[in-house]
Amino acid sequence: MISVSHDTVGQAPIESEPPMRPLRVGIVLLDAFTLTAFAGFLDVLRLASDYGGQSRQILIGWDIMSVDGEPRRSSAGTLHSELADLQDPAGFDYVAVCGGNSYTHGQYSAKLSRWLKAAHEAGVTLLGVCTGTFAIAYAGLVGQRAVCVHWNVIKEFQRQFPGIPCKLDYLFIDAGGLITCAGSTAAIDLGLHLLMRHYGRDKAQQALRHMMLYSIRPARLPQAHFYIDLEHVNDSRVHKAIYYIEQRIDDLPSVQDIADHVGVSGRQLERLFKTAVGMTPAAVHRMLRLQYGKWRITNTRDAITDIAVSCGFSDSSHFSREFKARFGKSPRAFRQGA
């Protein structure tokens, strides 16, 4: 309802919107948290909370916390101190758990798990930002709901939590009392989603313009992932080698370089790959590049030539030949039929 003020005599009534209810968001940093995901999510809240770029916590309030208020070092090495200890979870509308590289340790705080359970029981919506979803899953708060995780960590998540379905064809998944996102820039999309839910598109656009972004991406946008299904591959050396190749998709390492990274000889590496995936390391690298190109063709309007070069091919003709051999259609025909 719009209220009307008659305080000024002789002037037309002044219409004013009722004040919006402020949101309270608690953000918990885990060890080696990812800077992009944390900063992007927080900046969305900051830019929407105030007008004039003064970063005042007017419309949205936030508290940055850690277990016992201990400093947390990001995965980039920067140290963040002056963090609050875990506060009364009932005082928040949302609690975001920001993770990063610590997911491989498999060590979780019992205190944090108890606190997350208390937040869940109080009706607080939990946000898994980047690998913060691991901590929420460890606390037993996911159930059979599907979660969104980054393509780079899906195998480890499935290993630690085999009963929980994972999705890669989303930037984030809103399952009601639990929202999980892939991390990195998807944390910005998650923040914008919260603004749209509570304050509408205009408020989300306010943050978007300040961040010099051009559009609000939908939740169901496939991640730009390029990986090989290793579900039936039990050799950890092959897993480690393919992960290394994934990280260097734009710069194919030599067989000997990969072998040195894994701790085997070059000849042994070739045999391991032939047995496990039926391909050479070079063929695996080429397939990853083609998968990335396929994602770009399906989800962007970029020129085929630009996609070819970005995927490491010498020209569009070379890319098109390899693409058709792999997927049965030329890049152009594949895009038209997508």
Side-chain angles (χ1 to χ4, degrees):
M1 179 181 296
I2 296 177
S3 61
V4 181
S5 172
H6 298 278
D7 293 339
T8 306
V9 178
Q11 295 184 10
I14 299 173
E15 294 185 347
S16 61
E17 291 286 349
M20 299 179 183
R21 185 181 74 81
L23 277 182
R24 293 293 302 171
V25 181
I27 303 176
V28 182
L29 299 184
L30 303 184
D31 290 321
F33 67 93
T34 305
L35 273 176
T36 300
F38 164 63
F41 177 73
L42 180 57
D43 248 7
V44 170
L45 305 183
R46 178 184 69 85
L47 291 168
S49 180
D50 186 15
Y51 292 100
Q54 298 185 51
S55 303
R56 296 172 297 179
Q57 297 189 32
I58 298 174
L59 191 58
I60 304 171
W62 54 87
D63 291 287
I64 315 299
M65 300 171 285
S66 65
V67 175
D68 297 325
E70 291 293 322
R72 289 288 179 258
R73 194 174 294 279
S74 75
S75 56
T78 57
L79 184 66
H80 292 247
S81 57
E82 298 184 3
L83 302 176
D85 194 359
L86 303 176
Q87 301 173 31
D88 180 6
F92 298 113
D93 298 288
Y94 295 94
V95 162
V97 184
C98 295
N101 287 347
S102 61
Y103 72 94
T104 57
H105 302 163
Q107 298 175 351
Y108 301 95
S109 164
K111 178 178 177 179
L112 177 59
S113 292
R114 291 193 299 270
W115 187 80
L116 290 173
K117 289 176 182 176
H120 174 72
E121 291 168 0
V124 178
T125 298
L126 302 179
L127 310 177
V129 178
C130 195
T131 63
T133 302
F134 281 69
I136 296 173
Y138 179 78
L141 301 174
V142 175
Q144 291 303 307
R145 291 176 290 191
V147 297
C148 176
V149 295
H150 193 283
W151 62 266
N152 199 34
V153 304
I154 188 170
K155 295 302 179 186
E156 181 62 21
F157 189 92
Q158 291 171 331
R159 186 188 71 79
Q160 293 189 32
F161 310 105
I164 299 177
C166 304
K167 300 287 187 181
L168 292 176
D169 52 345
Y170 291 82
L171 294 177
F172 63 89
I173 295 177
D174 187 340
L178 173 68
I179 308 177
T180 53
C181 84
S184 191
T185 59
I188 295 175
D189 301 289
L190 171 56
L192 294 170
H193 174 67
L194 300 185
L195 294 184
M196 290 181 65
R197 166 190 281 179
H198 292 279
Y199 302 126
R201 178 171 288 273
D202 288 348
K203 182 57 67 174
Q205 292 285 1
Q206 176 186 328
L208 196 75
R209 287 190 295 270
H210 277 277
M211 300 181 85
M212 293 192 292
L213 299 174
Y214 301 105
S215 63
I216 299 175
R217 299 188 295 182
R220 188 152 193 176
L221 180 66
Q223 299 172 35
H225 61 277
F226 35 92
Y227 71 102
I228 294 176
D229 186 359
L230 300 178
E231 182 178 355
H232 303 296
V233 177
N234 297 318
D235 196 318
S236 61
R237 295 169 297 182
V238 175
H239 282 258
K240 186 175 182 180
I242 290 179
Y243 177 80
Y244 186 62
I245 294 171
E246 286 175 349
Q247 303 309 304
R248 296 183 58 177
I249 190 171
D250 299 310
D251 174 29
L252 174 62
S254 68
V255 170
Q256 191 57 53
D257 189 15
I258 303 169
D260 290 343
H261 178 74
V262 176
V264 297
S265 69
R267 213 174 260 184
Q268 187 179 7
L269 180 73
E270 296 274 8
R271 288 197 299 268
L272 290 173
F273 266 64
K274 184 176 180 180
T275 300
V277 296
M279 289 184 284
T280 65
V284 168
H285 180 261
R286 182 168 57 254
M287 186 173 74
L288 291 172
R289 290 157 58 207
L290 288 169
Q291 284 183 341
Y292 182 50
K294 178 183 173 184
W295 182 90
R296 291 276 300 273
I297 288 167
T298 305
N299 295 283
T300 76
R301 302 310 301 170
D302 296 341
I304 302 297
T305 299
D306 293 340
I307 294 174
V309 172
S310 72
C311 292
F313 291 90
S314 56
D315 53 44
S316 59
S317 297
H318 182 202
F319 173 63
S320 295
R321 287 195 304 273
E322 295 282 357
F323 190 95
K324 187 173 183 178
R326 181 72 192 173
F327 301 114
K329 293 182 179 180
S330 70
R332 196 171 304 280
F334 192 90
R335 172 174 276 173
Q336 290 172 348

